[in-house]
Amino acid sequence: MTRLSPADVARLGASGLRSRPMRVFLSALGIAIGIGAMLAVVGISSSSRADLDRTLNRLGTNLLTVAPGSTLGGDDAKLPIAATSMVGRIAPVEAVAATGLVDAAVYRNDHIPPGETGSIAVLAVDKDLPGTVRATLHAGSWLTEATARVPAVVLGSRAAARLDLRSPGALVWLSHQWYAVVGVLNPVPLAPELDSAALIGWASAQQFAGFDGHPTKIYVRAVESQIAQVRSVLGPTANPQAPNEVAVSRPSDALAAKQATDSALTGLLLGLGGVALLVGGVGVANTMVISVLERRSEIGLRRALGATRGQVRLQFLAESLLLSLLGGGGGVALGILVTGVYAATRDWPSVMPLYATFGGLGATLVIGGIAGLYPAVRAARVAPATALSSA
């Protein structure tokens, strides 16, 4: 009995596929769509996580915020006026800056109805705020020692868009007088509340806008290795009389939580990709079953020439595996392409984990083996005389 080498089996399988190019293409396309969808989901999710890591590395994970909580009676608490300076005395603290909510609104001009504020908050700010929260300027300049004492304002990115002001030099109506716009910020990922705010100097807010001087949020940069210790003493330090009325948070935790929330959607999309892969497997099985029916005379002839049932079974199983592998290779290429294009549009690093690539190819072989098993067994059971008589 002649034994078939692996190369012979591969050639037999390939010859069977070449005889039906369109059917092979459509069946492989089903596998490619399933694998491509799953790899694209994994790749886009990995690229998103890589972008988050890159953002956190740039912005730092050592930023803490201190804000007033609630009193025992449920009322809004207040931080002491001296809270910022007291927090700055903590040894591992590298930088500290505060903002305070001002009871005022900002308008494009003095003809806008009072109720149409555009949800823009007015905040009194320390001059050290940009360095503490790692904010950058889109245009203009930050508040200086001089401009922090006069009617001058820096706009957050969304506030500038709502006021239709993209560059400094204009005037806005704030607290019943004109303020000069001296700068516009880029978005601030770790302090998004600044994006929708008009920022004025602390002294200017007290002199021109009736600000009471109580900070409503304090941003604290601490030594990374001692962040937990600093966090534990921030409440008693910021408000020694009522440390329970102080809320301390870590903005980077919010970004990480958002990433965790996105993983639920990733799981759903992976499930949809799995369904598409299953449909592709059914297409492969259907193609192979039809191939067995159409090639009964060929199978009979091979059996009559001495091919064993095992060799016939191996031939059709090889065809199924090659068909699935063809689709898997196309799916891997599709998944990498989709991930790269999507990451480029979002300015993310393009990441495709190796485990996903090899896992995708492995999944195609499993699908091919399962899908081709029944047709291969059925082909092996065809009797030579019966097959030849139907030719």
Side-chain angles (χ1 to χ4, degrees):
M1 180 181 65
T2 303
R3 298 180 62 89
L4 293 177
S5 67
D8 293 331
V9 173
R11 280 194 293 270
L12 278 173
S15 64
L17 296 181
R18 285 196 298 268
S19 64
R20 305 175 309 282
M22 182 55 66
R23 189 182 301 165
V24 166
F25 170 76
L26 294 176
S27 298
L29 182 62
I31 292 287
I33 290 173
I35 292 295
M38 296 181 72
L39 287 184
V41 170
V42 173
I44 290 172
S45 178
S46 298
S47 299
S48 175
R49 280 193 291 271
D51 180 68
L52 174 63
D53 292 339
R54 184 177 65 177
T55 299
L56 292 180
N57 288 336
R58 183 178 73 251
L59 300 175
T61 58
N62 61 334
L63 180 68
L64 297 169
T65 61
V66 179
S70 301
T71 65
L72 293 176
D75 298 325
D76 293 335
K78 278 190 174 184
L79 292 175
I81 292 178
T84 306
S85 60
M86 291 190 293
V87 168
R89 297 191 187 104
I90 301 174
V93 169
E94 298 176 325
V96 60
T99 62
L101 183 62
V102 180
D103 186 16
V106 59
Y107 305 95
R108 183 67 179 81
N109 56 59
D110 55 348
H111 300 297
I112 305 295
E116 297 182 9
T117 63
S119 300
I120 301 174
V122 178
L123 299 178
V125 297
D126 288 333
K127 64 180 184 301
D128 298 327
L129 183 64
T132 304
V133 300
R134 308 260 171 97
T136 58
L137 283 158
H138 172 72
S141 61
W142 181 248
L143 297 168
T144 64
E145 193 69 39
T147 55
R149 298 179 178 277
V150 298
V153 60
V154 174
L155 298 176
S157 58
R158 283 200 296 269
R162 290 170 187 171
L163 292 171
D164 195 24
L165 294 172
R166 308 295 178 179
S167 59
L171 297 176
V172 293
W173 187 249
L174 192 158
S175 190
H176 307 292
Q177 67 179 36
W178 294 105
Y179 269 67
V181 178
V182 297
V184 176
L185 292 178
N186 287 315
V188 187
L190 291 184
E193 62 276 6
L194 301 180
D195 296 341
S196 300
L199 313 173
I200 61 178
W202 206 270
S204 174
Q206 291 178 310
Q207 182 177 353
F208 301 108
F211 177 51
D212 61 8
H214 288 275
T216 51
K217 184 164 285 190
I218 302 174
Y219 301 91
V220 183
R221 285 277 178 189
V223 176
E224 181 69 39
S225 61
Q226 301 186 53
I227 197 75
Q229 294 88 329
V230 172
R231 189 173 188 173
S232 65
V233 300
L234 275 178
T237 304
N239 192 351
Q241 303 300 321
N244 59 300
E245 296 178 0
V246 178
V248 180
S249 63
R250 193 173 184 177
S252 57
D253 290 344
L255 291 181
K258 179 180 180 297
Q259 186 68 42
T261 301
D262 292 343
S263 66
L265 179 60
T266 298
L268 174 61
L269 294 177
L270 282 174
L272 294 176
V275 172
L277 185 59
L278 178 61
V279 171
V282 172
V284 171
N286 181 62
T287 297
M288 297 310 300
V289 168
I290 294 175
S291 178
V292 171
L293 295 176
E294 290 180 342
R295 297 161 64 188
R296 288 168 61 88
S297 59
E298 174 193 333
I299 297 168
L301 180 60
R302 290 199 62 228
R303 290 294 310 281
L305 293 175
T308 65
R309 288 188 175 185
Q311 290 173 339
V312 173
R313 186 163 52 243
L314 193 59
Q315 174 190 350
F316 279 84
L317 189 58
E319 285 189 28
S320 179
L321 290 173
L322 287 174
L323 177 57
S324 297
L325 194 58
L326 180 63
V332 168
L334 179 62
I336 292 175
L337 177 63
V338 171
T339 298
V341 171
Y342 188 84
T345 60
R346 302 295 296 270
D347 196 25
W348 292 351
S350 181
V351 177
M352 178 60 71
L354 285 177
Y355 76 84
T357 302
F358 290 113
L361 291 175
T364 62
L365 293 177
V366 172
I367 290 293
I370 295 174
L373 187 59
Y374 170 72
V377 171
R378 182 168 178 173
R381 289 178 178 173
V382 174
T386 304
L388 289 173
S389 66
S390 63

